[in-house]
């Protein structure tokens, strides 16, 4: 089923779902940033007089550009950090019951003057002081889920996606991802129920159309299209059904062009509003990457308009009324949701394209606004349960190969402050994932030479592991540039906390046991290229599904 028309009832259900979650879950309040927000060049104070804010209309026809340099690790937007509940998305007639300067929805307890978004979390209190959704800021790990223990890896060259059981290391199915001979699939995202979408960046046909394909996570949700009272579907890597024959492939939607340009889709994420027990509802968010197309990838255009598409999770229909344009951007390369229904995006291609003015982009879905923050590093992106946004990749001012410099940045979305690792010289960090279970307390980053990086979530100390990739003499390396072509590209954490990596050059995935520091290898399709929420653990971690 391709491009089924949207319904108003589904949009209403989406808004109702957000309201339900905000009221009845443990989530807290969002920050006050709204509009397109740029920092004052020479100030870290709370004076917002130099901040450029503008609400983004539903058709995305607004916004301005600007740049800043905060110097050091303070990367928040230049907004008032005092107790001020008068952000653009605060109702004009708000009533501040406890007189702490904050109103609902930002104040998650308007009867307690000690509770507001910028408060310091006090250990031992029975309430959430800083409205970040966590009492005492204690991380609550999600329960393991044996039914959802799969990693979905796109095989870009083959135009397929592999479904690998993370417990048995068996590839249980492999699917075509588009109707054409070449799909160039890359990002995958798994929702809280277990269904998966894969984004096809562009086809090798005139026009280069991008598309998104949804595949059922469970056999019971596949559709008997041909009416033979059984489900025809792949049973393994050698059993790839022709396009249209696999009844677990639920829909494929081609993305509309942006004026006359292919979207060259990149960032991909479920929004988390789907029912975790049935998979019904929810939206798939897709970010475009047209900055490279304007100059044929030779020189990136950083002042173009990219787009975030919203696809109906049930039907795949593009909800055009919800589409958001992102002005002054290059490439919406990666994206991740937080528990407050903000979609965080890394804008750039290998490094933040607009690092000093806003390489980190927040799309507040409820308020319909876009806010920019400074990104020191950028390629991969993830969000943890505490509301920290993690970025890994080259520094925004990195020199070229072989002297390029990478780093990992932890951005506190409540305070607007960042901490950054020491410079990692001569390497190119790629995908990034937040640990859980046996990998809890660390964030993990893949690196092009084939190393796995472990970052302590508190101290930002770095430990580097050699992987089977670094020991493989068949790895395609350029000795003159001292670099390898996609030795490791993506990283993810499964439901037990084991760390998975994807190697394009080795046609393999690797499972890492962080306790025993051992690796296991799974051979998959040709030239796999995925870094995103391949297991669904990032979304599940944020929304605390048990």
């Amino acid at each position: 089923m391709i491009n089924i028309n949207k319904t108003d009832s589904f949009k209403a259900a989406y808004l109702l779902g957000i309201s339900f979650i905000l009221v009845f879950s443990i989530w807290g309040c969002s920050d006050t940033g709204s509009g397109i927000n740029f920092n004052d060049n020479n100030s870290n104070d709370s004076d917002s007089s130099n901040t450029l804010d503008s609400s983004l209309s539903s058709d995305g026809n607004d916004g301005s550009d600007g740049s800043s340099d905060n110097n050091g690790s303070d990367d928040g937007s230049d907004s008032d950090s005092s107790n001020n509940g008068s952000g653009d998305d605060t109702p004009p007639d708000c009533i501040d019951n406890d007189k702490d300067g904050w109103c609902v929805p930002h104040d998650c307890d308007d009867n307690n003057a000690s509770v507001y978004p910028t408060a310091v979390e006090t250990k031992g209190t029975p309430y959430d002081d800083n409205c970040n959704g966590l009492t005492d800021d204690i991380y609550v790990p999600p329960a393991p889920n044996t039914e959802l223990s799969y990693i979905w890896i796109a095989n870009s060259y083959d135009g397929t996606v592999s479904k690998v059981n993370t417990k048995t290391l068996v590839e249980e199915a492999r699917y075509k991802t588009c109707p054409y001979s070449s799909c160039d699939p890359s990002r995958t995202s798994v929702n809280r129920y277990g269904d998966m979408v894969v984004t096809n960046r562009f086809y090798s046909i005139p026009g280069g159309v991008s598309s998104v394909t949804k595949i059922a996570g469970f056999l019971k949700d596949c559709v008997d299209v041909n009416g033979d009272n059984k489900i025809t579907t792949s049973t393994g890597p050698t059993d790839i059904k022709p396009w249209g024959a696999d009844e677990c492939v639920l829909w494929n939607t081609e993305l509309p062009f942006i004026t006359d340009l292919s979207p060259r889709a990149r960032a991909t994420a479920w929004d988390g509003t789907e029912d975790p027990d049935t998979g019904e509802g929810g939206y798939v968010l897709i970010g475009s990457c047209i900055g490279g197309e304007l100059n044929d990838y030779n020189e990136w255009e950083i002042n173009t308009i990219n787009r975030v598409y919203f696809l109906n999770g049930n039907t795949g229909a593009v909800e055009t009324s919800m589409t958001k344009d992102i002005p002054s951007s290059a490439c919406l390369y990666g994206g991740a949701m937080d528990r407050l229904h903000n979609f965080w995006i890394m804008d750039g291609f290998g490094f933040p394209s607009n690092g000093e003015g806003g390489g980190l982009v927040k799309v507040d879905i409820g308020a319909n606004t876009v806010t920019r923050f400074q990104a020191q590093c950028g390629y991969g992106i993830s969000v943890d349960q505490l509301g920290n946004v993690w970025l890994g990749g080259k520094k925004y001012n990195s020199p070229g190969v072989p002297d390029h410099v990478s780093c990992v940045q932890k951005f506190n979305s409540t305070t607007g402050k960042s901490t950054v690792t020491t410079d990692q010289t001569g390497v190119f960090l790629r995908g990034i994932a937040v640990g859980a279970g046996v990998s809890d307390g660390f964030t993990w980053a893949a690196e092009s030479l084939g190393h796995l990086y472990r970052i302590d979530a508190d101290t930002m100390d770095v430990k580097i592991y050699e992987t089977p990739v670094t020991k493989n003499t068949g790895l395609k390396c350029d000795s003159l540039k001292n670099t390898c072509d996609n030795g490791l590209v993506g990283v993810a954490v499964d439901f037990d906390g084991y760390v998975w990596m994807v190697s394009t050059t080795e046609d393999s995935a690797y499972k890492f046991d962080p306790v025993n520091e051992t690796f296991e290898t799974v051979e998959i399709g040709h030239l796999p290229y995925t870094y995103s929420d391949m297991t669904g653990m990032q979304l599940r971690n944020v929304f605390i599904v048990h």
Side-chain angles (χ1 to χ4, degrees):
M1 57 186 80
I2 299 177
N3 288 336
I4 299 175
N5 291 332
K6 64 181 184 293
T7 63
D8 292 335
S9 61
F10 197 83
K11 288 189 287 183
Y14 173 76
L15 296 175
L16 179 62
I18 291 180
S19 300
F20 179 86
I21 292 172
L22 289 175
V23 173
F24 293 101
S25 75
I26 67 168
W27 299 345
C29 309
S30 65
D31 57 70
T32 59
S34 64
I36 297 175
N37 233 336
F38 295 101
N39 304 323
D40 176 43
N41 271 339
N42 299 304
S43 175
N44 290 324
D45 61 23
S46 61
D47 182 2
S48 60
S49 60
N50 291 316
T51 301
L52 177 60
D53 289 347
S54 62
S55 294
L56 186 68
S57 62
S58 60
D59 62 0
N61 295 324
D62 202 359
S64 303
D65 192 13
S67 62
S68 67
D69 185 355
N70 270 329
N71 301 321
S73 61
D74 181 355
D75 299 286
S77 66
D78 187 9
S79 59
D80 192 342
S81 61
S82 63
N83 296 359
N84 187 348
S86 59
D88 289 352
D89 53 347
T90 300
D93 56 347
C94 77
I95 300 173
D96 182 11
N97 290 326
D98 55 14
K99 309 303 179 185
D100 61 3
W102 292 85
C103 301
V104 175
H106 301 296
D107 193 332
C108 50
D109 185 351
D110 206 25
N111 295 311
N112 186 338
S114 299
V115 175
Y116 50 87
T118 59
V120 176
E121 187 72 31
T122 302
K123 305 298 182 184
T125 62
Y127 41 78
D128 176 17
D129 304 73
N130 60 9
C131 292
N132 73 347
L134 297 170
T135 301
D136 285 349
D137 283 357
I138 296 176
Y139 167 78
V140 181
N145 188 314
T146 56
E147 291 186 328
L148 297 181
S149 297
Y150 292 95
I151 185 169
W152 298 76
I153 301 171
N155 305 303
S156 295
Y157 184 85
D158 296 339
T160 63
V161 62
S162 296
K163 179 184 180 182
V164 177
N165 188 311
T166 59
K167 291 183 177 294
T168 65
L169 278 68
V170 172
E171 183 178 349
E172 296 185 1
R174 191 178 295 185
Y175 307 90
K176 283 279 294 178
T177 64
C178 82
Y180 301 98
S181 59
S182 178
C183 311
D184 198 22
S186 176
R187 280 62 163 171
T188 62
S189 180
V190 181
N191 68 16
R192 297 193 292 157
Y193 175 66
D195 292 333
M196 187 274 317
V197 292
V198 56
T199 295
N200 301 297
R201 291 177 289 188
F202 52 88
Y203 310 139
S204 59
I205 59 174
V209 179
S210 293
S211 73
V212 182
T213 299
K214 179 182 179 181
I215 300 175
F218 300 102
L219 188 65
K220 64 184 178 66
D221 296 314
C222 303
V223 180
D224 181 15
V225 177
N226 60 16
D228 63 355
N229 296 317
K230 62 181 180 180
I231 296 299
T232 301
T233 189
S234 172
T235 58
T238 61
D239 182 25
I240 305 171
K241 304 301 182 187
W243 179 255
D246 197 307
E247 294 175 329
C248 288
V249 178
L250 301 180
W251 52 253
N252 169 265
T253 296
E254 295 187 352
L255 299 175
F257 275 34
I258 302 174
T259 60
D260 60 343
L261 298 175
S262 167
R264 297 197 175 192
R266 293 299 196 277
T268 303
W270 284 89
D271 75 337
T273 61
E274 68 280 351
D275 188 323
D277 297 320
T278 67
E280 290 296 307
Y283 283 84
V284 179
L285 278 59
I286 306 293
S288 71
C289 178
I290 65 174
E293 182 171 22
L294 294 173
N295 290 296
D296 197 25
Y297 288 127
N298 292 323
E299 181 179 349
W300 280 87
E301 170 61 57
I302 66 171
N303 193 30
T304 188
I305 297 177
N306 277 284
R307 179 166 296 168
V308 176
Y309 300 88
F310 287 69
L311 275 61
N312 184 311
N314 289 341
T315 69
V318 177
E319 303 286 352
T320 54
S321 65
M322 300 175 68
T323 296
K324 290 177 172 57
D325 284 356
I326 312 297
S328 304
S329 58
C331 177
L332 308 184
Y333 204 69
M337 294 294 300
D338 71 13
R339 65 182 172 278
L340 300 177
H341 288 278
N342 299 307
F343 185 41
W344 293 89
I345 303 168
M346 202 296 289
D347 173 24
F349 194 85
F351 52 87
S353 64
N354 198 6
E356 297 192 40
L360 176 60
V361 179
K362 183 182 81 170
V363 178
D364 186 324
I365 298 173
N368 197 31
T369 57
V370 172
T371 310
R372 294 183 181 275
F373 301 90
Q374 183 176 345
Q376 295 282 349
C377 336
Y379 193 94
I381 185 170
S382 189
V383 180
D384 67 24
Q385 194 186 58
L386 297 175
N388 298 305
V389 182
W390 290 83
L391 296 164
K394 290 185 184 180
K395 294 191 72 171
Y396 69 91
N397 59 355
S398 171
V401 175
D403 301 317
H404 49 187
V405 176
S406 287
C407 58
V408 172
Q409 174 182 357
K410 178 174 71 172
F411 174 77
N412 186 314
S413 61
T414 301
T415 66
K417 307 290 184 180
S418 283
T419 51
V420 182
T421 61
T422 56
D423 288 352
Q424 306 297 307
T425 304
V427 299
F428 182 11
L429 295 181
R430 309 292 286 276
I432 193 167
V434 175
V438 295
S439 58
D440 185 26
F442 301 99
T443 295
W444 305 82
E447 184 261 329
S448 284
L449 292 172
H451 297 91
L452 174 65
Y453 278 60
R454 188 192 76 180
I455 300 92
D456 188 295
D458 292 323
T459 67
M460 302 297 285
D461 290 340
V462 175
K463 181 174 181 178
I464 304 171
Y465 294 93
E466 283 198 354
T467 72
V469 176
T470 61
K471 300 172 184 177
N472 192 323
T473 57
L475 187 64
K476 306 173 185 68
C477 296
D478 185 334
S479 59
L480 295 178
K481 294 184 177 180
N482 189 32
T483 189
C484 296
D485 181 19
N486 299 329
L488 288 180
V489 291
V491 64
V493 172
D494 68 23
F495 288 98
D496 295 309
Y498 295 102
V499 183
W500 285 76
M501 294 139 281
V502 176
S503 173
T504 303
T505 54
E506 304 305 328
D507 294 343
S508 297
Y510 305 100
K511 179 181 179 180
F512 176 66
D513 180 344
V515 177
N516 298 307
E517 299 188 342
T518 56
F519 292 86
E520 295 178 274
T521 302
V522 180
E523 294 184 0
I524 44 180
H526 189 38
L527 299 184
Y529 190 86
T530 301
Y531 43 90
S532 50
D533 194 11
M534 314 177 237
T535 61
M537 190 59 181
Q538 187 272 325
L539 193 64
R540 185 181 179 86
N541 199 17
V542 165
F543 282 84
I544 321 177
V545 179
H546 292 280

